[in-house]
Amino acid sequence: MELELSQKQGLTLAMQTSMRLLQLNNLQLRSYLGEMMLSNAVVDLEYPEIDYRPSPFDRGYGARQSGAQADEPAIPKEQFIPDRASGESDLHDLFLQSAALNLAPPLQRILDYLIDSLDENGFLTESADTTAHTLGVSPEAVQKCIGLLQDMDPAGVGAADLADCLRLQLLRRDPQDPTALQIVAEHLTAMARQQYGSIAKALHVPKAQVLRSCELIRSLSPKPLNGQRGETPTQYIIPDFYIIEDNGLLRCVMNDYYLPKITVDPSYREMMRNKMLCPEDCEYLQKNYKQAAEVIKFLAYRKSTLQKVVEYVMQAQADFFHNGPGHRVALGNREIAQALSLHESTVSRAVSGKFFECKWGVFPLKSLFVHSTGGRQEGGSFDQILQRLQTLISAEPPGAAYSDQQLSAMLTAQGLPVARRTVAKYRQMLGIPTAGQRSHRAR
């Protein structure tokens, strides 16, 4: 009885995990997989070599920040914690901390110059020799002031680059983590790609220690001054799929480039097979292998389900993709669920939070779901009805506004049969007053 109950609970948990993965967009899924690997000893993730791939529509914008240098390692922003707020207030605090040191005027001048030279991230990119030449002081005096700046708060300010910023923050920890310091100094790119196994081999430490140290590094701030000095960071949308038109035919391309490839370390199975581990460790590793296998299966289900739903929407809204906004038709979860033999909640999760890009731009997938009280037979193109309704009302005689019943009859005569109650609903959606109110305003 207990075994049967345990099996049912396991199936319920697996179903919940499957539905959760279906609801995530690609960026959320990438984050989920990264978190899973931190708690699963047998899983490794292989990330793409570069952090940004241009859109096939080449609109001249992308997710990479314009300030990134070509020779810098491509470290995904989501590998670290979100930026803190108000870089300007941090800059003001630095000047207050500088004044509180009561330095001699020559050193105070240098330190204030260094604070004012910080970039938007809080990094000091100007060399000590350049600063010394600009101010007409010795490089030794500049180095001393750089040290004072790096002792200020927020921790990491005045660093030369990201690695130096993380190093300064780690040095303030008590006790210090030598493994984390080595990772920051030599293996930051490998950490960003979550290549924990290779880091462990290079440093000759257990993988568990590498995972703990990387988790500590991720708790640090990559940008002491927020990256914007008070400005609001630009939010980028990476589409989950593209709809491409090729010789009049529509094609769906899933944008799974940013998702890591999951690999499972087989060495632990060999250790279990040779009885090199205690029963507790074997049980722990078996759970890890089971979780990895389930996630791989769920990801395959997620991809196939999302592909089917998107392709159905693509065909149903073909006029939109060919002719642009203003050519959507009525479409809902129930229609798709029935056509694909899926549950409505599955369709809802599949489209939740997903974005697509086509030749008209980037849109939420839900924007193609248009409700109609009469179904697709009553109304044809939803956007077409709204446009025609607005045209009729804008052309009505002054002081003699059309009633909803008259508008329904006029639309029906034009080949767009819409019931009176549907006209009233659409009129309200457009923010158009009733006929009586419109006639009163016209007087």
Side-chain angles (χ1 to χ4, degrees):
M1 189 69 178
E2 291 183 1
L3 178 60
E4 183 179 348
L5 179 61
S6 176
Q7 289 175 338
K8 287 183 178 179
Q9 291 175 340
L11 288 173
T12 301
L13 183 60
M15 181 62 69
Q16 290 174 348
T17 303
S18 176
M19 292 297 100
R20 181 188 176 190
L21 294 184
L22 182 61
Q23 193 163 357
L24 301 179
N25 61 34
N26 282 353
L27 286 180
Q28 293 169 333
L29 181 59
R30 175 176 168 138
S31 177
Y32 171 87
L33 294 175
E35 292 173 2
M36 182 196 74
M37 189 182 61
L38 290 175
S39 61
N40 191 309
V42 305
V43 169
D44 279 313
L45 300 179
E46 296 180 10
Y47 283 84
E49 290 296 323
I50 59 175
D51 191 42
Y52 169 66
R53 186 174 68 170
S55 158
F57 297 97
D58 192 21
R59 302 181 193 279
Y61 58 81
R64 178 176 291 279
Q65 296 180 359
S66 60
Q69 301 297 319
D71 56 350
E72 289 179 348
I75 300 177
K77 181 173 182 287
E78 59 270 19
Q79 295 295 321
F80 301 101
I81 66 172
D83 297 333
R84 299 185 305 114
S86 185
E88 277 299 339
S89 63
D90 282 339
L91 198 64
H92 179 66
D93 289 343
L94 288 172
F95 282 115
L96 291 178
Q97 294 176 62
S98 171
L101 293 175
N102 294 318
L103 298 173
L107 291 179
Q108 188 71 59
R109 175 171 166 257
I110 297 172
L111 183 54
D112 288 348
Y113 175 87
L114 293 174
I115 294 173
D116 205 38
S117 299
L118 295 172
D119 69 7
E120 66 273 13
N121 298 324
F123 296 162
L124 190 63
T125 57
E126 187 175 289
S127 69
D129 288 339
T130 300
T131 301
H133 178 75
T134 301
L135 299 180
V137 298
S138 68
E140 292 75 19
V142 174
Q143 287 289 359
K144 180 178 180 179
C145 289
I146 291 176
L148 293 172
L149 175 60
Q150 292 178 348
D151 286 336
M152 292 182 181
D153 292 320
V157 72
D161 52 30
L162 175 61
D164 193 30
C165 172
L166 299 175
R167 179 187 66 83
L168 291 172
Q169 295 176 67
L170 289 171
L171 289 175
R172 294 198 190 185
R173 296 268 174 168
D174 188 21
Q176 292 184 7
D177 186 331
T179 302
L181 286 167
Q182 284 184 283
I183 292 172
V184 164
E186 304 170 7
H187 304 284
L188 199 55
T189 301
M191 171 190 150
R193 295 173 181 167
Q194 301 195 12
Q195 297 171 344
Y196 302 119
S198 62
I199 296 175
K201 291 178 183 178
L203 299 182
H204 305 289
V205 296
K207 182 180 177 181
Q209 176 59 51
V210 172
L211 292 173
R212 285 194 295 270
S213 297
C214 288
E215 188 173 3
L216 169 61
I217 295 170
R218 287 196 178 89
S219 72
L220 307 176
S221 174
K223 298 177 182 180
L225 293 189
N226 187 38
Q228 299 291 328
R229 289 177 84 161
E231 299 175 11
T232 302
T234 302
Q235 298 295 319
Y236 294 97
I237 293 174
I238 296 182
D240 296 275
F241 58 93
Y242 302 105
I243 302 297
I244 298 173
E245 187 175 356
D246 186 10
N247 293 325
L249 298 177
L250 296 174
R251 184 162 55 93
C252 171
V253 178
M254 306 302 291
N255 185 24
D256 53 5
Y257 171 79
Y258 299 95
L259 295 179
K261 177 183 178 182
I262 299 179
T263 59
V264 179
D265 189 344
S267 61
Y268 292 107
R269 288 193 184 278
E270 189 66 25
M271 295 171 69
M272 289 190 292
R273 191 177 296 112
N274 295 332
K275 299 181 178 180
M276 300 171 62
L277 301 172
C278 65
E280 292 80 9
D281 287 345
C282 286
E283 183 181 0
Y284 169 74
L285 290 171
Q286 285 173 348
K287 289 181 178 178
N288 282 191
Y289 277 116
K290 181 180 178 181
Q291 181 197 33
E294 286 182 340
V295 168
I296 291 173
K297 180 179 70 174
F298 295 155
L299 289 177
Y301 170 78
R302 174 189 180 274
K303 183 175 182 178
S304 63
T305 302
L306 184 56
Q307 181 103 30
K308 287 192 295 185
V309 170
V310 170
E311 287 181 350
Y312 185 93
V313 173
M314 178 184 71
Q315 296 302 327
Q317 300 289 14
D319 283 347
F320 169 88
F321 294 109
H322 288 307
N323 303 313
H327 295 83
R328 296 174 301 167
V329 297
L331 180 66
N333 291 343
R334 179 175 298 180
E335 176 185 336
I336 299 174
Q338 291 175 346
L340 301 179
S341 300
L342 297 172
H343 195 278
E344 280 190 57
S345 63
T346 301
V347 176
S348 177
R349 288 186 174 92
V351 304
S352 176
K354 310 301 190 301
F355 288 83
F356 69 90
E357 183 174 7
C358 64
K359 63 182 179 180
W360 308 112
V362 179
F363 302 86
L365 181 55
K366 279 190 173 181
S367 67
L368 295 180
F369 284 64
V370 180
H371 298 288
S372 174
T373 57
R376 193 177 295 179
Q377 290 75 18
E378 180 196 351
S381 169
F382 174 81
D383 288 343
Q384 186 181 5
I385 294 173
L386 296 184
Q387 291 175 351
R388 196 72 60 84
L389 185 60
Q390 285 180 304
T391 300
L392 289 173
I393 292 175
S394 64
E396 61 191 3
Y402 300 132
S403 67
D404 292 340
Q405 185 61 52
Q406 288 175 310
L407 290 169
S408 172
M410 295 168 75
L411 288 171
T412 300
Q414 295 179 10
L416 296 172
V418 184
R420 181 202 58 78
R421 66 182 184 278
T422 306
V423 170
K425 176 183 176 182
Y426 290 172
R427 176 179 52 72
Q428 292 170 0
M429 288 173 56
L430 294 169
I432 298 175
T434 63
Q437 292 171 327
R438 297 199 305 276
S439 295
H440 179 74
R441 288 180 182 180
R443 294 193 186 106

